[in-house]
């Protein structure tokens, strides 16, 4: 019997969180090596996804604009316009208007919007299959069931297979995420009971009571944790292949208790104080682990390069077997003409590997706006300090003796707040060097 082959393209992929899109601006994004553009036609409800290249001379449509009159996507190079179906509706240089009709189209992809995500079907030639295929939704992202949740995403400097491998490995949490999601001293043996392992799914229960983990290829990994008092918490992670050595994580953190706290906590605060730190805490580990495995590849595979004697590595082995059996150990880069380097160099520049701004902040509407507001407050505090000191200096002696000290104290307090914002809070939007030795 022939082993079926996993088709990476005939699936729905979570592309971006809807909350982070601005309908006024086309947004470039890469998925499975394909450069795409997300845009929203004026006066329409739903976003569209096109291949990010104008059929005229391949200029990126993500550098274009949405025309105020027609609502179409206009290429900024020569002004060609495309409607929501990808059909070219206007060529300003055309002598004959008939030249335009349905002859020059940009490749469009089926899309859906559900559970706060813009989804895209990456095989534009199979729209009928897309219409029949359900989205990889989570039963935990459902307010009707009593859940609330927070969301997060990050661009990552390591490959999709490394990301999946990491997320099906709960035993690393106590060490890599010490003080954030676990503690070293609480580490214990972990065993799994495998419920199924097929081309469509890998499911297992974890030895800790009430915990299950599910992997629905190509993206969906979900933890469900139930406590005796009916409290439930989960982790929903979508692992998205971007390019060789690059991936994207979209994640949700549902729970059915402490709802008010989740709803009141600003999304940006959750990102800078916890979520980015969690990603940073194993970013260097995974970045370098991946390159060491590549380096050993001519002589060893994961089977010989990894030493995995304990049951805690059961799901890593299961995933690697799945990847070899159904995907031949490769992502479909050749199908999109993306060269795969045999060996990627190590990057010891921690500011690049742990680059929070370019991997997260600039793409996250909550963090981007929070950063702008923090910078505005800093400017206001500096102006207030300078003005206050100047005014006190110009006061008459009688006024200065009465109001000088209180005004200077308030100005100094503002300067202290400025320092906290500038040197403590603002750097968390850019770069935080995560040193495990410092985590006591």
């Amino acid at each position: 019997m022939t082993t079926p082959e996993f088709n990476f393209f005939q699936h729905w992929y979570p592309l971006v969180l809807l909350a982070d899109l601005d309908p006024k601006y086309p947004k470039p994004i890469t998925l499975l090596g394909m450069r795409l553009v997300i845009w929203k036609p004026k006066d329409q409800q739903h976003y569209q996804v096109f291949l990010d290249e104008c059929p005229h001379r391949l200029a990126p449509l993500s550098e274009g604009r949405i025309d105020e009159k027609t609502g179409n996507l206009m290429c900024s190079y020569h002004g060609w316009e495309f409607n929501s179906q990808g059909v070219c509706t206007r060529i300003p240089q055309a002598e004959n208007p008939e030249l335009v009709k349905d002859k020059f189209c940009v490749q469009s992809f089926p899309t859906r919007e559900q559970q706060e995500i813009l989804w895209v079907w990456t095989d534009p030639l199979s729209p009928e299959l897309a219409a029949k295929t359900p989205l990889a939704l989570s039963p935990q992202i459902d307010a009707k069931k009593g859940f609330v949740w927070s969301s997060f995403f990050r661009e990552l400097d390591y490959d999709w297979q490394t990301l999946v491998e990491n997320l099906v490995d709960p035993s690393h949490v106590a060490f890599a995420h010490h003080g954030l999601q676990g503690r070293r001293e609480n580490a214990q043996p972990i065993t799994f009971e495998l419920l199924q392992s097929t081309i469509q799914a890998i499911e297992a229960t974890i030895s800790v009571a009430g915990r299950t983990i599910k992997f629905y290829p190509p993206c969906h990994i979900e933890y469900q944790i139930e406590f005796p008092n009916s409290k439930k918490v989960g982790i929903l992670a979508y692992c998205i292949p971007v390019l060789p050595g690059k991936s994207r994580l979209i994640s949700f953190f549902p729970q059915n208790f402490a709802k008010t706290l989740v709803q009141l906590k600003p999304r940006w605060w959750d990102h800078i104080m916890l979520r980015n730190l969690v990603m940073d805490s194993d970013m260097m580990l995974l970045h370098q682990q991946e390159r060491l495995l590549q380096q050993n590849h001519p002589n060893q595979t994961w089977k010989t390069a990894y030493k995995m004697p304990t049951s805690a590595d059961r799901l890593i082995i299961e995933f690697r077997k799945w990847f070899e059996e159904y995907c031949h150990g490769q992502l479909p880069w050749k199908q999109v003409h993306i060269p795969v380097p045999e060996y990627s160099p190590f990057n010891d520049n921690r500011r690049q590997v742990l680059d929070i701004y370019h991997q997260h902040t600039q793409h996250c509407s909550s963090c981007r706006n929070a950063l702008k507001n923090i910078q505005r407050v800093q400017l206001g505090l500096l102006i207030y300090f300078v003005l206050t000191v100047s005014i006190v200096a110009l006061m008459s002696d009688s006024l200065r003796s009465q109001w000088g000290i209180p005004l200077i104290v308030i100005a100094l307090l503002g300067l202290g707040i400025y320092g906290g914002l500038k040197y403590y809070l603002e750097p968390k939007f850019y770069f935080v060097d995560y040193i495990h030795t410092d985590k006591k």
Side-chain angles (χ1 to χ4, degrees):
M1 183 176 177
T2 304
T3 301
E5 186 169 336
F6 188 81
N7 187 328
F8 274 90
F9 292 97
Q10 292 185 342
H11 288 274
W12 285 103
Y13 283 84
L15 193 57
V16 68
L17 292 165
L18 289 167
D20 295 322
L21 291 174
D22 187 335
K24 298 190 297 293
Y25 297 97
K27 178 180 177 62
I29 197 164
T30 302
L31 171 63
L32 277 172
M34 298 181 292
R35 293 183 60 84
L36 307 175
V37 57
I38 303 168
W39 72 288
K40 190 173 187 180
K42 186 180 179 182
D43 300 326
Q44 292 192 22
Q45 292 185 337
H46 301 295
Y47 285 93
Q48 306 297 326
V49 175
F50 291 173
L51 199 64
D52 192 15
E53 55 184 53
C54 178
H56 177 209
R57 282 168 54 195
L58 307 184
L61 291 170
S62 57
E63 291 293 329
R65 58 191 300 275
I66 298 164
D67 186 75
E68 294 88 350
K69 294 181 180 179
T70 64
N72 292 333
L73 180 60
M74 177 190 289
C75 178
S76 290
Y77 198 17
H78 293 93
W80 286 32
E81 290 188 28
F82 303 90
N83 65 17
S84 60
Q85 306 304 311
V87 176
C88 182
T89 59
R90 181 171 181 260
I91 299 177
Q93 299 81 15
E95 298 88 348
N96 181 2
E98 293 297 315
L99 176 70
V100 179
K101 285 189 176 179
D102 301 337
K103 293 181 180 179
F104 305 101
C105 298
V106 64
Q107 184 68 71
S108 64
F109 295 80
T111 59
R112 292 189 194 173
E113 297 174 20
Q114 203 163 339
Q115 286 194 350
E116 302 183 3
I117 291 173
L118 174 63
W119 301 77
V120 65
W121 180 266
T122 49
D123 179 12
L125 302 181
S126 59
E128 298 84 4
L129 181 60
K132 295 187 293 185
T133 304
L135 301 177
L137 302 176
S138 167
Q140 298 183 96
I141 309 302
D142 189 345
K144 294 179 181 178
K145 295 180 180 179
F147 285 98
V148 293
W149 55 86
S150 59
S151 62
F152 175 75
F153 88 96
R154 179 111 174 228
E155 304 287 342
L156 303 171
D157 201 26
Y158 48 82
D159 200 80
W160 169 86
Q161 55 187 300
T162 304
L163 176 58
V164 174
E165 182 183 287
N166 180 55
L167 288 174
V168 298
D169 169 28
S171 67
H172 80 281
V173 172
F175 296 93
H177 307 312
H178 170 75
L180 297 169
Q181 294 182 322
R183 297 198 65 82
R184 302 181 193 107
E185 59 269 22
N186 295 334
Q188 57 183 317
I190 295 177
T191 58
F192 298 93
E193 180 184 350
L194 193 64
L195 303 179
Q196 69 163 315
S197 182
T198 67
I199 190 172
Q200 291 93 8
I202 298 173
E203 295 186 14
T205 57
I206 307 175
S207 55
V208 181
R211 300 190 179 189
T212 61
I213 178 171
K214 302 173 183 179
F215 171 49
Y216 301 124
C219 296
H220 185 153
I221 295 177
E222 186 160 6
Y223 284 80
Q224 294 176 311
I225 303 169
E226 295 188 23
F227 300 101
N229 54 5
S230 298
K231 292 182 178 179
K232 298 178 182 179
V233 66
I235 300 173
L236 171 62
Y238 291 108
C239 309
I240 302 160
V242 176
L243 288 166
K246 302 288 183 181
S247 59
R248 180 179 305 116
L249 174 69
I250 294 177
S251 53
F252 293 85
F253 306 91
Q255 61 188 66
N256 68 351
F257 59 94
K259 299 179 186 180
T260 303
L261 179 62
V262 174
Q263 292 168 334
L264 290 179
K265 185 191 298 182
R267 183 172 176 241
W268 64 268
W269 183 264
D270 184 51
H271 290 180
I272 68 168
M273 301 305 291
L274 177 60
R275 305 304 174 193
N276 276 317
L277 290 175
V278 171
M279 302 309 299
D280 288 342
S281 60
D282 57 17
M283 186 82 77
M284 293 300 299
L285 303 174
L286 298 171
H287 173 84
Q288 298 200 25
Q289 169 203 317
E290 179 176 285
R291 281 147 182 79
L292 283 169
L293 183 60
Q294 284 181 335
Q295 196 176 59
N296 290 327
H297 185 69
N299 304 313
Q300 301 184 75
T301 67
W302 66 271
K303 295 177 183 177
T304 52
Y306 290 173
K307 305 298 184 286
M308 297 187 288
T310 71
S311 298
D313 295 316
R314 174 71 185 278
L315 285 188
I316 296 168
I317 295 171
E318 203 63 40
F319 163 67
R320 284 291 177 182
K321 287 180 177 178
W322 176 91
F323 193 46
E324 285 189 346
E325 182 175 0
Y326 301 116
C327 312
H328 309 293
Q330 296 179 343
L331 284 153
W333 304 125
K334 290 181 181 178
Q335 292 176 245
V336 288
H337 312 294
I338 299 292
V340 181
E342 288 188 14
Y343 171 66
S344 300
F346 288 87
N347 187 351
D348 293 319
N349 187 326
R350 301 177 72 88
R351 285 190 173 273
Q352 291 180 359
V353 179
L354 304 176
D355 184 353
I356 294 172
Y357 183 81
H358 290 99
Q359 294 172 0
H360 174 77
T361 303
Q362 70 172 355
H363 305 291
C364 173
S365 61
S366 301
C367 291
R368 190 171 61 246
N369 291 332
L371 178 59
K372 288 180 181 178
N373 290 332
I374 287 169
Q375 291 171 337
R376 290 188 185 112
V377 171
Q378 289 178 48
L379 180 60
L381 290 170
L382 277 180
I383 292 172
Y384 175 77
F385 178 80
V386 172
L387 287 176
T388 300
V389 171
S390 301
I391 290 170
V392 170
L394 295 173
M395 281 180 174
S396 63
D397 291 343
S398 59
L399 284 175
R400 189 183 302 117
S401 63
Q402 183 178 1
W403 295 102
I405 292 178
L407 288 173
I408 291 296
V409 168
I410 294 172
L412 289 173
L413 180 61
L415 194 62
I417 295 172
Y418 165 84
L421 295 175
K422 179 69 175 178
Y423 299 106
Y424 173 73
L425 204 58
E426 185 176 336
K428 295 182 183 296
F429 293 92
Y430 290 95
F431 165 75
V432 177
D433 196 4
Y434 199 96
I435 307 296
H436 284 273
T437 304
D438 295 338
K439 309 303 176 183
K440 304 301 182 183

